[in-house]
Amino acid sequence: MTSIKDVARVAGVSVTTVSHVLNKTRAVLPSTQERVLDAVQSLGYVPSAVARSLKMNATHTIGMLVPNNSNPYFAELVRAVEDACFATGYALLLCNTDDNADRQKVYLDVLSQKRVDGLIVASTSDDETMSRHLAHTAIPMVLIDRAIAGLERPCVQTDHVQGGLLATEYLLGLGHQRIACIGGPEHLLSSAQRVQGWRQTLQRMGHGTDLLVHADFSVNGGYLAMQTLLQGPASARPTAVLACNDLMAMGALRAVHEYGLQVPQDVAVVGYDDIELASYTQPPLSTVAQPVKAMAHQALALLREDMQAGKLAQRQSSATVQMLAPALVKRASSKPAGHRAMQTLGGGMV
């Protein structure tokens, strides 16, 4: 294997000069720099990343922990973070914790051994052991998607209460009064906040909030929850549903179809996240969009500030939360209440 000494010998310079050329740590005569670079190319020399990181005290790598990279939302969030890292000269090392404390601990040890410069953590669990592992990690860290109770770190997330409010106000504006909610797991803060936005909006308008079923943020969870909501007499069924993520909304679409009803004629459906698949459902899904690209860029910017402060021995734990605004995306899965009745009076149904 070619070494830096081989490059120095071929270029006719010292090892120190080669190091200065490659690391750009000192000005070198153009002719000398050209000889060194020619020697590097001819020998196919690749500098040792480990040696360079030890010398520069930086690896230009970022570690990222996610709970479930098979969930399209987290896959899109990871892609946004990776793009932001690549654009600023960082490589991303991804670890899927599967919401398992033991697995997370192993990955934290691995990332520490890899000497990552910082961590971006997306979590859907408030597990005490997982939070404790993160709290005891000395690596600069920023949370993304939501804060973790008891963990004093900067966080970038969407205003989930506002997202639930936007969707519910939209459905109320379409004339719906029996608006159900399929919430995520009750113990998750992001899920509770979306439900809170739904509940507060209905209560403010004098409507009941009894049409609430919790599920597990999966397609099947939404499917089973929608089946529960459709049971009983037609007069008690919801005319509109807010599902607190797009996967559950897709399960709800199937349940409505299997029940012999139509979306949006019988039941309007609005999801949450605006994953890419949302525009390809039948009908295309109205949803609340999370600004994943903006979240990724802001999280990385905060992390770089934290990493730089750490180098200056000035870093302090901070629970600063940057709250980004969600946006409502209107598609064909939501129509005014009584849409089927109006079509019938007009001489036909679609």
Side-chain angles (χ1 to χ4, degrees):
M1 181 179 293
T2 302
S3 69
I4 192 171
K5 292 181 180 180
D6 297 322
V7 174
R9 175 178 52 79
V10 172
V13 298
S14 68
V15 169
T16 301
T17 298
V18 175
S19 177
H20 286 317
V21 170
L22 296 179
N23 296 313
K24 300 179 181 179
T25 50
R26 183 183 297 176
V28 177
L29 289 173
S31 58
T32 302
Q33 179 174 316
E34 184 177 356
R35 293 205 312 275
V36 170
L37 294 179
D38 285 345
V40 167
Q41 184 174 3
S42 64
L43 294 172
Y45 173 67
V46 179
S48 167
V50 174
R52 179 176 290 184
S53 69
L54 290 172
K55 184 174 183 179
M56 306 298 292
N57 196 29
T59 61
H60 285 87
T61 56
I62 301 295
M64 185 171 184
L65 299 178
V66 296
N68 182 4
N69 57 10
S70 65
N71 183 321
Y73 168 72
F74 286 112
E76 293 178 17
L77 182 62
V78 167
R79 176 60 184 269
V81 171
E82 184 179 21
D83 288 346
C85 287
F86 186 81
T88 51
Y90 288 89
L92 185 70
L93 298 180
L94 177 65
C95 298
N96 177 35
T97 67
D98 202 27
D99 271 335
N100 181 286
D102 292 335
R103 187 165 175 165
Q104 176 183 262
K105 180 64 168 61
V106 170
Y107 280 139
L108 286 172
D109 290 342
V110 169
L111 292 172
S112 179
Q113 292 166 12
K114 296 290 185 183
R115 298 176 58 84
V116 296
D117 296 334
L119 284 174
I120 295 177
V121 178
S123 176
T124 60
S125 174
D126 273 333
D127 180 272
E128 183 179 347
T129 304
M130 297 181 75
S131 298
R132 186 168 63 251
H133 289 164
L134 292 170
H136 291 167
T137 300
I139 304 171
M141 181 190 308
V142 169
L143 308 178
I144 192 170
D145 186 53
R146 73 179 187 89
I148 300 175
L151 188 60
E152 299 292 316
R153 293 292 188 275
C155 178
V156 179
Q157 67 179 62
T158 304
D159 187 339
H160 297 299
V161 175
Q162 178 67 15
L165 181 150
L166 280 175
T168 310
E169 284 189 339
Y170 168 59
L171 292 170
L172 285 170
L174 294 176
H176 294 282
Q177 296 188 25
R178 297 193 306 280
I179 302 173
C181 180
I182 300 176
E186 294 185 66
H187 67 281
L188 297 182
L189 183 60
S190 57
S191 171
Q193 289 171 336
R194 296 170 196 181
V195 173
Q196 179 184 344
W198 165 82
R199 178 181 289 112
Q200 289 179 348
T201 306
L202 289 182
Q203 290 176 340
R204 188 176 69 247
M205 300 302 295
H207 296 290
T209 59
D210 56 309
L211 295 174
L212 171 63
V213 181
H214 287 279
D216 62 358
F217 275 152
S218 69
V219 174
N220 188 58
Y223 173 74
L224 296 176
M226 192 70 229
Q227 286 185 326
T228 299
L229 289 168
L230 292 175
Q231 292 174 359
S235 59
R237 295 175 193 157
T239 62
V241 175
L242 165 61
C244 287
N245 83 342
D246 287 341
L247 292 180
M248 294 193 301
M250 292 175 187
L253 291 177
R254 176 179 172 180
V256 172
H257 173 73
E258 289 185 354
Y259 220 81
L261 303 174
Q262 295 186 41
V263 176
Q265 290 89 335
D266 298 298
V267 183
V269 178
V270 176
Y272 200 108
D273 288 336
D274 193 30
I275 62 176
E276 185 177 359
L277 291 173
S279 62
Y280 291 94
T281 59
Q282 185 57 42
L285 184 64
S286 295
T287 185
V288 177
Q290 296 206 65
V292 291
K293 291 183 179 179
M295 289 167 62
H297 283 281
Q298 292 199 27
L300 181 59
L302 283 174
L303 184 60
R304 294 181 70 184
E305 290 177 10
D306 204 20
M307 292 187 303
Q308 184 60 32
K311 291 178 182 178
L312 299 175
Q314 296 173 347
R315 183 166 64 88
Q316 295 180 347
S317 294
S318 170
T320 301
V321 177
Q322 290 193 7
M323 201 74 78
L324 305 186
L328 183 67
V329 179
K330 302 175 184 178
R331 298 193 179 101
S333 69
S334 53
K335 289 286 179 68
H339 186 62
R340 175 183 288 275
M342 288 187 290
Q343 289 173 330
T344 303
L345 291 173
M349 289 178 26
V350 296

